[in-house]
Amino acid sequence: MARQSGVLQVQGTVGGIVFAKDGSVRQKQSSNKSQFNSSASMQRVRENANEFGTAAKAGKLLRDALRKVVSLASDRLMVSRLAQKMKLILNLDEDNDRGGRQILPENLPALVGFDFNAGSAFASTYYGGVVSALDRATGNHTISLGEMNPSRDVAAPQGATHYRVTGAVAAVNFETGTFVATDAATGESPLTNAVRPAEVLQLARPLGAPDDALVVAVGIDFYQSVNGKLYPLNSNAYNALSVVAVG
């Protein structure tokens, strides 16, 4: 490799020649885009790139569909974790060739149990009963919350005085990139020994396409009462949200 000599200080690219900070000089490499698109040796790389792109788009679509509840409970690596989960679901596609595999509704049950906040898993935060019922015919879905004792059945973080359960259902079409969604929540309840009666969250939405995938997420968020006013606790770090059903 050539090296620059003399007092002239040049850094950057001039006329296809790269002048590096350490004084070395080299020719700028030409783009390998053409090689990437056509070379037989890059076939597997192209296939992987296509599928990672598909998985990333699927993850973004689901995040957008559940945006209202995801915004309450997610960690900084959630986007990449969800993309990885979608790639695993993509790998379950046995109908299409590698490089063109898709997110198929019949493979989406693998999403159940995905926590949007890895630092606060829903299953280890909320021990009350949760049962979802999906009705494609009417579009009227429900999330039933069983009777529970908050002080016993909620693993609340220090400083929390109240909690709220949230739920959402999204009808997502991963082929067209469209969705419709709705959400609901309980009122803010105190974290006391007082038994909370069973409650049903009604999730009515406009009817989507018959082949849309239905994804149900349930979460819990925490509050602190100060002078009679409720404040979200610790920037949502302890809030939990999980996919509980797919239909």
Side-chain angles (χ1 to χ4, degrees), residues 118-176:
S120 183
F122 181 75
S124 58
T125 303
Y126 183 81
Y127 295 95
V130 176
V131 178
S132 61
L134 301 175
D135 188 339
R136 284 184 175 273
T138 64
N140 295 317
H141 313 303
T142 60
I143 297 173
S144 298
L145 307 174
E147 181 181 279
M148 49 92 79
N149 183 326
S151 65
R152 178 195 64 199
D153 297 328
V154 176
Q158 185 176 7
T161 61
H162 291 70
Y163 75 99
R164 181 183 68 162
V165 177
T166 60
V169 61
V172 186
N173 192 309
F174 290 96
E175 183 177 357
T176 62

Side-chain angles (χ1 to χ4, degrees), residues 8-225:
L8 182 62
Q9 297 296 316
V10 180
Q11 186 176 335
T13 303
V14 179
I17 303 299
V18 178
F19 295 86
K21 186 176 182 179
D22 63 0
S24 62
V25 181
R26 59 179 173 80
Q27 187 173 6
K28 183 179 181 181
Q29 294 181 346
S30 59
S31 171
N32 61 357
K33 182 177 180 180
S34 177
Q35 179 185 3
F36 177 82
N37 291 332
S38 60
S39 174
S41 65
M42 301 291 286
Q43 176 66 22
R44 294 292 174 262
V45 178
R46 290 195 296 271
E47 292 171 353
N48 289 334
N50 287 339
E51 293 197 342
F52 276 112
T54 299
K57 289 179 181 178
K60 183 179 186 305
L61 183 63
L62 184 61
R63 296 195 319 269
D64 289 345
L66 297 173
R67 177 182 58 82
K68 287 187 178 180
V69 288
V70 169
S71 65
L72 298 174
S74 61
D75 62 84
R76 63 185 184 86
L77 297 178
M78 182 271 292
V79 172
S80 60
R81 289 193 302 106
L82 183 57
Q84 290 173 1
K85 175 63 75 173
M86 288 298 186
K87 180 61 172 66
L88 292 177
I89 293 172
L90 201 73
N91 293 344
L92 299 175
D93 177 9
E94 297 180 350
D95 298 337
N96 297 294
D97 294 333
R98 183 167 58 181
R101 291 179 292 188
Q102 301 297 317
I103 302 294
L104 302 180
E106 59 264 32
N107 295 328
L108 282 172
L111 261 178
V112 174
F114 178 83
D115 284 298
F116 290 88
N117 183 2
S120 183
F122 181 75
S124 58
T125 303
Y126 183 81
Y127 295 95
V130 176
V131 178
S132 61
L134 301 175
D135 188 339
R136 284 184 175 273
T138 64
N140 295 317
H141 313 303
T142 60
I143 297 173
S144 298
L145 307 174
E147 181 181 279
M148 49 92 79
N149 183 326
S151 65
R152 178 195 64 199
D153 297 328
V154 176
Q158 185 176 7
T161 61
H162 291 70
Y163 75 99
R164 181 183 68 162
V165 177
T166 60
V169 61
V172 186
N173 192 309
F174 290 96
E175 183 177 357
T176 62
T178 58
F179 65 85
V180 289
T182 189
D183 62 279
T186 66
E188 293 83 3
S189 300
L191 289 160
T192 64
N193 282 315
V195 174
R196 192 205 68 193
E199 185 173 356
V200 177
L201 298 180
Q202 301 287 343
L203 296 165
R205 65 165 182 83
L207 293 175
D211 56 349
D212 284 354
L214 298 176
V215 181
V216 182
V218 178
I220 183 170
D221 47 294
F222 296 99
Y223 301 85
Q224 185 177 70
S225 177

